[in-house]
Amino acid sequence: MSIEVRHVSKHFGSFGALCDVSLKVETGELVALLGPSGSGKTTLLRIIAGLEVPDSGAGQIFLNDQDVTRRQAGARRVGFVFQHYALFRHMTVFENVAFGLRVIARKRRLPETGIREKVRALLQLVQLDWLADRYPAQLSGGQRQRIALARALAIEPQVLLLDEPFGSLDAKTRQELRRWLRRLHSELKVTSILVTHDQEEALEVASRVVLTNAGRIEQIGTPEEVFHHPANEFVMNFVGYVNIFHGRVEGNKAFLGPLEIEYSDDQDTGAARSARGLVRPYDLEIETRANGKKGFPATIGHIHVAGPQVRIDLTADSGETVHVDLSHERFRLLNLVVGQHVFVSPREINVYVDTQKA
Amino acid sequence: MVGETATFEEPRPTGIFRGQSRERDRVTTEPALVRYILTFAAIVFLVLFLLIPLVVVFAAAFEKGWQVYVAALKDHYTLSAIRLTLWTAAIVVPLNVVFGVAASWAIAKFRFVGKSILTTLIDLPFAVSPVVAGLIFVLMLGKNGYLGSWLEAHHLRIIFAVPGIVIVTIFVTFPFVARELIPLMQAQGTEEEEAAISLGAGGWKTFWRITLPNIKWGLLYGVILCNARAMGEFGAVSVVSGHIRGLTSTMPLQVENYYNEMNLSAAFAVSSLLAMLALVTLVLKRLAEWRFREELHDVEGEGEGRPAYEY
């Protein structure tokens, strides 16, 4: 069941939450909507679910190639998992999951035994059948989230929409549930959209990532594409960590903080334009001596060894703070200590130039 | 009295009179002498102004013995006053429940223009003196009022008749249910309703299966308060009723009638009924409050730092 959003806009008063957004999710995909708070990702998800209506005349929603723009939320067969679970607090876990099955029109409703079997099966699917008689208040956050998922799956949804599903859980539970969701999705193959502001979560779980910012889509691509080939400065800055060097482009040179590199583009008018150079922490090299490379001198402020890589915080002689990731091997080889004066050089730098003059 | 529910006081530290068992007590508490004086003052005040009058009501009612008390209650006028009071409450309370639920539903769950005006208007009956409330309706519906001639032409009698009593009582007890429900529904938010709707429940099913069960204790609390006021209202009813005994005298008005006739034992007999109503109300209110607090507590437990939802 595919999901298609065509030219959707949504305003809340004068605030433009979505500006002419189009997106297509193919059958069986798990797509992550990734963006900072206020970027419009939750609004987009709610519009797909029918919980929010696009500005009048602005946009259409298709589920499985059918125009559902005017269809009520309940008639869209969309499973929605809410950020704060939204479990029915006065019902047991069992009744929560059974709710969608019980409110169906009588002639399409399963008999009571059928409902019981189905709820049992769903609770087994989320591995919580032993909690059937508890109330939501008696469950942990992770358990509540899984019940919310079972409840959404009960109506055999065409698509599954998850709004920050792991947002209010602790880091460890979040990781476990992330992997579990990945497995569940490959088992059920239901077309899913996941909203998150956590780039790690998006890159790990989704088959494609949609980056949203200020009501627009900045890039759509596989996790690898958005990470290694960011379409623009926003994407590069939002996905993964970066060092930013502010400066300007003048002639065929870029002066970015302590760096001076060759740069040319077809916008060149000879006048200075303000620019920023973005470098991933692992694309910075540390040398103990300046040996001819385009680098800058800096002093090591802190060394963080507990992790898959060694993270080194430095202060450039010109004042900027810089983060560098080194492999443990390389770190041992260089024999670095706090306070040491070293030279830092970028292996790869992405330069983004403003169109207006500096 | 009504604002209370939103600001439940913390459970009192148990250590105050049992030695300084907890660190916190030592910081927040006063020297023993001050504590005893304050407590004593509060108790004296309560006894003087609340307990003694209550006892006096019952004492005066039974002063001339059981027979007189029972006879006063069996009196034709007393019985008709009781009947009228019960009828009024039976009409007013359900109407205000419907109104209160509808208004708080609208205010808590939807965005619309004029919401703050509606919220303020709901409180109007609390701000207006009941006598003024009565006069407003006399002015509108009375013989010389704006709608008076039209009503007379259609042989509709509202002022100095039962409909007038019902109308002013609705006006006066208007805010009780809504006031309890608005903060509760606002705290609960709309996520559960949205979940129900996305699972295929229609508006009606969502209301009966999700919204109503979530607010039932708050609603009951409002109903109890609304009922107590509907039965006890004097000022506004007095203005519009005309004090026609046997016809338009409610219990509080009948107390006044007996009192003016110097029939004190009858006045206190009816008063004792109203006092008992008050006691029953207090007990019910207390019970509902416990459950209501749980309802509110459930929300608070889940809602730590919960945003309204992010755009």
Side-chain angles (χ1 to χ4, degrees):
Chain A
M1 308 282 168
S2 60
I3 304 170
E4 195 179 349
V5 175
R6 279 192 206 157
H7 305 293
V8 163
S9 294
K10 175 73 181 174
H11 286 78
F12 294 100
S14 60
F15 174 69
L18 291 174
C19 310
D20 192 22
V21 166
S22 297
L23 171 69
K24 176 139 197 196
V25 179
E26 302 295 343
T27 306
E29 265 195 301
L30 199 173
V31 166
L33 291 182
L34 173 64
S37 294
S39 64
K41 53 196 192 307
T42 295
T43 305
L44 182 57
L45 199 73
R46 289 169 60 87
I47 286 177
I48 296 171
L51 296 171
E52 208 80 65
V53 198
D55 290 347
S56 61
Q60 288 169 294
I61 308 293
F62 293 84
L63 293 180
N64 209 23
D65 298 323
Q66 277 186 316
D67 187 349
V68 296
T69 316
R70 281 167 206 298
R71 214 180 275 176
Q72 295 284 313
R76 292 191 189 188
R77 295 254 319 273
V78 162
F80 200 100
V81 177
F82 292 82
Q83 184 178 5
H84 301 283
Y85 328 117
L87 293 179
F88 306 132
R89 73 196 87 199
H90 63 284
M91 293 183 192
T92 60
V93 162
F94 186 94
E95 286 305 318
N96 263 281
V97 178
F99 185 84
L101 303 172
R102 292 199 197 283
V103 295
I104 299 174
R106 189 161 292 134
K107 45 182 196 279
R108 285 188 293 126
R109 198 184 302 160
L110 287 170
E112 183 61 26
T113 49
I115 291 179
R116 296 199 158 270
E117 265 170 42
K118 194 159 176 186
V119 173
R120 287 277 162 214
L122 281 162
L123 287 175
Q124 269 158 20
L125 180 72
V126 299
Q127 297 152 5
L128 290 176
D129 42 335
W130 51 286
L131 289 175
D133 298 323
R134 302 270 184 91
Y135 283 87
Q138 299 166 292
L139 308 183
S140 72
Q143 289 169 340
R144 287 185 206 181
Q145 194 53 276
R146 283 192 276 165
I147 297 301
L149 193 61
R151 183 179 68 177
L153 289 172
I155 58 167
E156 294 179 11
Q158 307 191 50
V159 298
L160 191 59
L161 306 177
L162 304 115
D163 183 11
E164 302 260 0
F166 315 130
S168 25
L169 301 172
D170 62 86
K172 196 163 183 318
T173 318
R174 188 188 270 233
Q175 284 229 333
E176 279 167 20
L177 277 186
R178 222 187 261 171
R179 288 200 193 109
W180 175 79
L181 179 71
R182 182 80 256 191
R183 277 203 308 278
L184 189 75
H185 179 261
S186 59
E187 237 172 79
L188 299 175
K189 300 233 175 352
V190 54
T191 315
S192 308
I193 300 183
L194 169 107
V195 158
T196 179
H197 62 260
D198 178 348
Q199 39 112 356
E200 216 176 288
E201 190 169 295
L203 298 180
E204 186 180 323
V205 175
S207 49
R208 278 199 302 158
V209 179
V210 177
L211 273 124
T212 58
N213 182 36
R216 291 171 205 282
I217 291 179
E218 300 278 356
Q219 187 176 5
I220 304 177
T222 63
E224 203 218 328
E225 280 165 2
V226 297
F227 191 80
H228 290 292
H229 307 286
N232 54 39
E233 184 179 0
F234 168 81
V235 176
M236 176 150 186
N237 195 0
F238 194 78
V239 180
Y241 297 96
V242 285
N243 293 294
I244 304 179
F245 299 101
H246 294 267
R248 69 200 149 82
V249 166
E250 208 173 345
N252 55 359
K253 285 247 163 114
F255 304 92
L256 304 163
L259 286 165
E260 185 187 324
I261 58 169
E262 310 284 322
Y263 178 84
S264 67
D265 61 17
D266 47 12
Q267 305 288 312
D268 189 15
T269 56
R273 291 168 293 158
S274 72
R276 286 155 306 283
L278 273 61
V279 189
R280 300 270 188 218
Y282 56 77
D283 277 333
L284 283 172
E285 180 61 83
I286 293 184
E287 310 271 358
T288 43
R289 262 165 303 161
N291 47 3
K293 287 188 188 170
K294 293 270 180 198
F296 56 88
T299 310
I300 297 179
H302 184 77
I303 299 175
H304 179 69
V305 223
Q309 288 195 301
V310 181
R311 159 147 286 194
I312 298 169
D313 301 347
L314 307 101
T315 310
D317 287 3
S318 51
E320 288 89 349
T321 308
V322 184
H323 301 288
V324 179
D325 282 343
L326 288 183
S327 70
H328 285 273
E329 211 175 11
R330 175 87 188 139
F331 172 71
R332 274 193 298 272
L333 204 71
L334 288 170
N335 208 6
L336 301 175
V337 291
V338 173
Q340 192 174 347
H341 201 240
V342 293
F343 288 86
V344 180
S345 57
R347 265 190 294 267
E348 203 184 319
I349 180 164
N350 289 24
V351 180
Y352 298 97
V353 185
D354 286 344
T355 38
Q356 68 268 39
K357 284 178 184 169
Chain B
M1 171 174 144
V2 175
E4 253 175 31
T5 53
T7 56
F8 291 124
E9 74 271 74
E10 286 252 307
R12 201 160 295 186
T14 46
I16 280 196
F17 294 113
R18 294 191 212 128
Q20 321 277 296
S21 59
R22 289 195 292 178
E23 195 68 24
R24 220 185 83 197
D25 293 345
R26 236 170 282 160
V27 184
T28 56
T29 199
E30 301 295 331
L33 187 65
V34 178
R35 288 197 327 256
Y36 288 127
I37 289 174
L38 284 176
T39 315
F40 183 71
I43 289 174
V44 167
F45 195 82
L46 276 176
V47 168
L48 270 181
F49 286 91
L50 295 175
L51 195 61
I52 291 180
L54 194 64
V55 172
V56 165
V57 168
F58 285 98
F62 289 106
E63 200 175 27
K64 292 180 183 161
W66 269 103
Q67 284 79 8
V68 179
Y69 180 80
V70 173
L73 292 186
K74 273 186 165 170
D75 182 89
H76 168 69
Y77 292 136
T78 309
L79 286 178
S80 91
I82 293 173
R83 215 174 299 131
L84 180 59
T85 298
L86 291 177
W87 266 114
T88 307
I91 298 169
V92 167
V93 173
L95 282 178
N96 273 340
V97 164
V98 172
F99 164 78
V101 172
S104 33
W105 169 278
I107 287 171
K109 314 246 168 181
F110 299 109
R111 298 174 274 205
F112 59 91
V113 184
K115 187 158 144 172
S116 58
I117 297 177
L118 182 60
T119 318
T120 314
L121 271 183
I122 285 174
D123 282 341
L124 184 70
F126 280 159
V128 170
S129 157
V131 178
V132 177
L135 282 173
I136 292 170
F137 285 97
V138 171
L139 205 65
M140 286 199 323
L141 307 169
K143 208 168 177 187
N144 302 316
Y146 299 119
L147 297 172
S149 47
W150 185 87
L151 289 170
E152 200 152 7
H154 291 79
H155 303 287
L156 293 171
R157 235 187 124 69
I158 293 183
I159 300 304
F160 304 139
V162 176
I165 293 174
V166 172
I167 290 173
V168 293
T169 312
I170 288 177
F171 180 88
V172 170
T173 59
F174 201 73
F176 284 98
V177 174
R179 280 267 92 182
E180 297 313 316
L181 293 187
I182 290 169
L184 177 64
M185 282 176 140
Q186 274 173 340
Q188 288 180 343
T190 50
E191 269 203 342
E192 281 184 54
E193 277 85 2
E194 284 178 348
I197 287 166
S198 79
L199 289 168
W204 198 240
K205 275 185 182 165
T206 304
F207 177 77
W208 283 106
R209 293 182 183 222
I210 306 301
T211 309
L212 201 59
N214 274 344
I215 59 168
K216 58 178 185 287
W217 291 108
L219 182 62
L220 183 65
Y221 186 76
V223 164
I224 291 166
L225 294 179
C226 177
N227 182 60
R229 184 69 188 270
M231 290 187 170
E233 175 56 28
F234 176 82
V237 173
S238 173
V239 174
V240 296
S241 89
H243 293 245
I244 308 166
R245 49 182 55 207
L247 282 179
T248 64
S249 271
T250 59
M251 286 165 74
L253 297 187
Q254 193 58 29
V255 171
E256 198 203 17
N257 288 341
Y258 285 137
Y259 181 78
N260 287 343
E261 291 164 4
M262 302 299 286
N263 187 352
L264 288 188
S265 53
F268 277 110
V270 180
S271 299
S272 73
L273 286 186
L274 285 170
M276 270 191 272
L277 170 72
L279 292 177
V280 170
T281 303
L282 280 180
V283 172
L284 289 178
K285 177 173 162 287
R286 190 72 225 163
L287 290 174
E289 218 168 57
W290 279 331
R291 304 305 298 263
F292 182 29
R293 202 181 300 203
E294 278 168 28
E295 252 172 33
L296 269 176
H297 184 76
D298 282 353
V299 181
E300 282 156 15
E302 281 167 37
E304 288 148 290
R306 159 194 279 191
Y309 92 72
E310 164 230 322
Y311 295 127

